[in-house]
Structure formats: C-alpha cells, structure tokens
C-alpha cells in the first residue's frame, strides 16, 4: 500500500491558476491542475491508497478559508487525510488549531518561503506548543538557497527547542540545500519526506541520506501537482531499497504517524 504524504489541492475554480503560480515560483511546468479529482486520477496509476492533502496560507487572512476547504474535501473523499494550515501572524491560533483537530485533521502544513517568516521566529513558539499539546503533526516546506526562511539550521533550532514536536521537513530536509540538510539534520529527531527531491538528488546521495537518517523517519510524497505520481514512483524505485525499507517509507511510517 502507498500513502502520499505531500499533495496539494485547490478549489476547482482556482486550481489551474494556483498550480501555474507555483510552477512560476519554481520555474517548472506543473503536471496537473491541482484539483482533487486530478490528484486521485494521478495517484490511481500507482495504486495510492491515501493522500495527505493540504494548502498553505500565504497570509493570516487565508487560514480559516483554507482550513474550511481541507475539512470539506477530507469529509468528501475517503482517500484524503487533511492537514490544515497556519500562519505566524494569525492571532486566534489556539482556537483554530483546536477546531481543525476536532474536525479530524491530523496536522498543519506551512510553506515559510511563500509565507515570508522564518520557521524558528518567536511568533511560532506558542503555535508549536499548541501543536504538541494537541498531538498534531507539523509538515513544513524545507529549504531553498534563494531564501532564508526554512533552511536546515532553522529546523534544527526548532527541534532543539521543541524535541516533542512531530515535525516533518519536506524535500529531504532542504530543497536545493541537501548538503546542509545532510550535515545538520540527518540523524536528528525529525522526519523527512521524499518529495521534489529525487528528480535532481543523485541516487547515491539519496541512499546516503536514508542510511544516515534511518528509513524509519522517512515518508513518501509526490508534491502533486508538481509531479506525476507514476514519474515520481519511478524515481523512488531507482533507489533500489530493500523491501522492508521501501514498505516503511511508502506506507508504514506514515500510517503510524497518522494513527491509521
């Protein structure tokens, strides 16, 4: 079985526009529109059973509407496991996190490079404390040498401060900053996802990451609609992992984190 731990969805009326905007940000063509239906169609090609779906609020004013949408879609599609969003400038964070917890969402997703705040800024401290209290997972875009909001050292600062936080650093812990991630984060008490990395991360370096960090702390993600599921799985298969490690990353680690 396969759990896709990193999939973006958008309302149909803005899905194509939102996908193109992300593609422009990364100077990369998008494989799909980003609609829920397109996600399911792509994932069926490799028999994905569950999708962790989310969308990041680029401003505090978007938090509630995005969370409403994710709650709605998670209720509508049995394949979806919803993650809400949060922003450092959102004032009523405690009540909102309680609301998404009570609605059955399993965590939050943030993208500091879009949201324009460092993940280790002081404003985030009470939010992390509330996430720990509620047992919610914190999935965060990691890295990008063009910016200084979500680099590996910022993650290290957070997990040193909050060792009980269930945090997942996307993209092997540092998109385009993999050397720093390997040095600073690999082996630490944090999870990585595999999304948007294997298209450029050499096989030998990816395997070195998994060996140093441990297959028990990786989850697989497509980063849909950035990538096609079949294409992303072909990249993953090139790693030549053991059946045990492959199963952990594709399913059992995620299932444990999500309480499935």
């Amino acid at each position: 079985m396969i759990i896709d731990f990193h999939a973006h969805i958008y309302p149909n009326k803005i899905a194509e526009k939102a996908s193109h905007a992300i593609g422009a940000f990364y100077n990369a063509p998008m494989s799909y529109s980003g609609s829920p239906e397109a996600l399911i169609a792509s994932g069926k090609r490799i028999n994905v059973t569950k999708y962790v779906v989310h969308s990041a609020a680029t401003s505090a004013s978007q938090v509630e509407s995005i969370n409403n949408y994710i709650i709605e879609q998670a209720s509508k599609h049995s394949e979806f496991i919803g993650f809400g969003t949060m922003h450092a400038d959102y004032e009523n964070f405690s009540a909102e996190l309680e609301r998404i917890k009570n609605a059955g969402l399993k965590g939050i997703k943030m993208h500091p490079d879009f949201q324009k705040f460092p993940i280790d800024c002081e404003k985030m401290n009470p939010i992390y404390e509330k996430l720990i209290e509620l047992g919610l997972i914190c999935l965060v875009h990691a890295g990008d040498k063009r910016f200084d909001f979500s680099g590996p050292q910022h993650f290290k600062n957070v997990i040193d401060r909050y060792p009980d936080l269930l945090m997942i650093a996307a993209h092997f812990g540092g998109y385009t900053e993999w050397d720093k991630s390997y040095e600073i984060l690999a082996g630490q008490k944090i999870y990585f996802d595999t999304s948007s990395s294997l298209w450029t991360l050499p096989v030998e370096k990816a395997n070195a990451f998994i060996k140093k960090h441990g297959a028990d702390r990786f989850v697989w993600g497509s980063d849909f609609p950035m990538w096609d599921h079949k294409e992303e799985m072909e990249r993953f298969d090139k790693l030549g992992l053991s059946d045990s490690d492959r199963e952990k990353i594709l399913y059992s680690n995620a299932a444990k984190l999500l309480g499935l």
Side-chain angles (χ1 to χ4, degrees):
M1 295 194 290
I2 300 169
I3 296 174
D4 180 355
F5 216 103
H6 195 127
H8 304 268
I9 57 170
Y10 312 103
N12 287 321
K13 64 182 179 180
I14 67 164
E16 187 169 351
K17 180 180 179 181
S19 297
H20 284 312
I22 294 173
F25 186 85
Y26 288 109
N27 192 28
M30 302 299 283
S31 297
Y32 292 90
S33 69
S35 70
E37 294 76 17
L39 170 61
I40 293 170
S42 177
K44 278 184 176 179
R45 298 177 68 199
I46 61 166
N47 298 317
V48 173
T49 52
K50 295 286 185 181
Y51 309 81
V52 173
V53 295
H54 44 73
S55 183
T58 57
S59 67
S61 63
Q62 294 178 337
V63 167
E64 291 177 32
S65 61
I66 289 176
N67 289 342
N68 289 342
Y69 174 68
I70 297 297
I71 290 168
E72 173 193 88
Q73 292 301 311
S75 175
K76 183 178 180 181
H77 298 281
S78 61
E79 305 96 327
F80 289 175
I81 298 169
F83 270 42
T85 190
M86 187 47 62
H87 193 285
D89 294 331
Y90 185 82
E91 293 184 357
N92 199 20
F93 67 87
S94 183
E96 185 65 6
L97 290 175
E98 289 179 1
R99 181 174 81 93
I100 68 170
K101 168 80 171 183
N102 291 336
L105 304 193
K106 298 293 187 176
I108 64 167
K109 165 68 189 302
M110 295 187 295
H111 195 309
D113 297 347
F114 288 167
Q115 297 172 305
K116 304 301 181 187
F117 60 82
I119 61 166
D120 54 351
C121 68
E122 289 188 6
K123 287 182 178 180
M124 286 302 302
N125 289 346
I127 295 174
Y128 293 137
E129 290 165 5
K130 189 67 177 181
L131 290 171
I132 294 169
E133 176 190 328
L134 296 174
L136 291 171
I137 302 165
C138 187
L139 171 62
V140 187
H141 167 89
D144 196 324
K145 60 186 177 184
R146 298 176 296 172
F147 310 103
D148 188 28
F149 299 110
S150 61
Q153 187 59 53
H154 291 292
F155 277 90
K156 183 66 162 57
N157 294 341
V158 173
I159 62 176
D160 283 349
R161 195 180 305 158
Y162 296 108
D164 293 330
L165 180 66
L166 280 174
M167 176 168 269
I168 302 172
H171 321 311
F172 275 78
Y175 176 76
T176 72
E177 295 189 278
W178 291 294
D179 288 342
K180 288 184 179 179
S181 176
Y182 184 84
E183 176 187 351
I184 296 170
L185 291 179
Q188 299 292 319
K189 190 181 177 184
I190 191 170
Y191 285 83
F192 292 154
D193 82 26
T194 66
S195 69
S196 283
S197 300
L198 298 174
W199 66 279
T200 189
L201 191 63
V203 167
E204 59 273 15
K205 183 168 285 189
N207 279 321
F209 257 104
I210 294 169
K211 182 178 180 180
K212 181 179 179 182
H213 194 57
D216 291 342
R217 288 190 173 270
F218 271 90
V219 292
W220 186 84
S222 68
D223 211 0
F224 178 92
M226 183 73 78
W227 305 108
D228 173 86
H229 281 81
K230 186 173 185 293
E231 181 181 31
E232 193 63 20
M233 185 57 69
E234 288 171 351
R235 295 186 181 113
F236 180 73
D237 285 339
K238 287 179 181 178
L239 299 180
L241 300 175
S242 68
D243 289 346
S244 175
D245 285 353
R246 191 175 185 279
E247 192 276 338
K248 288 176 183 178
I249 296 171
L250 289 177
Y251 181 76
S252 62
N253 293 342
K256 184 177 179 180
L257 280 168
L258 298 167
L260 300 182

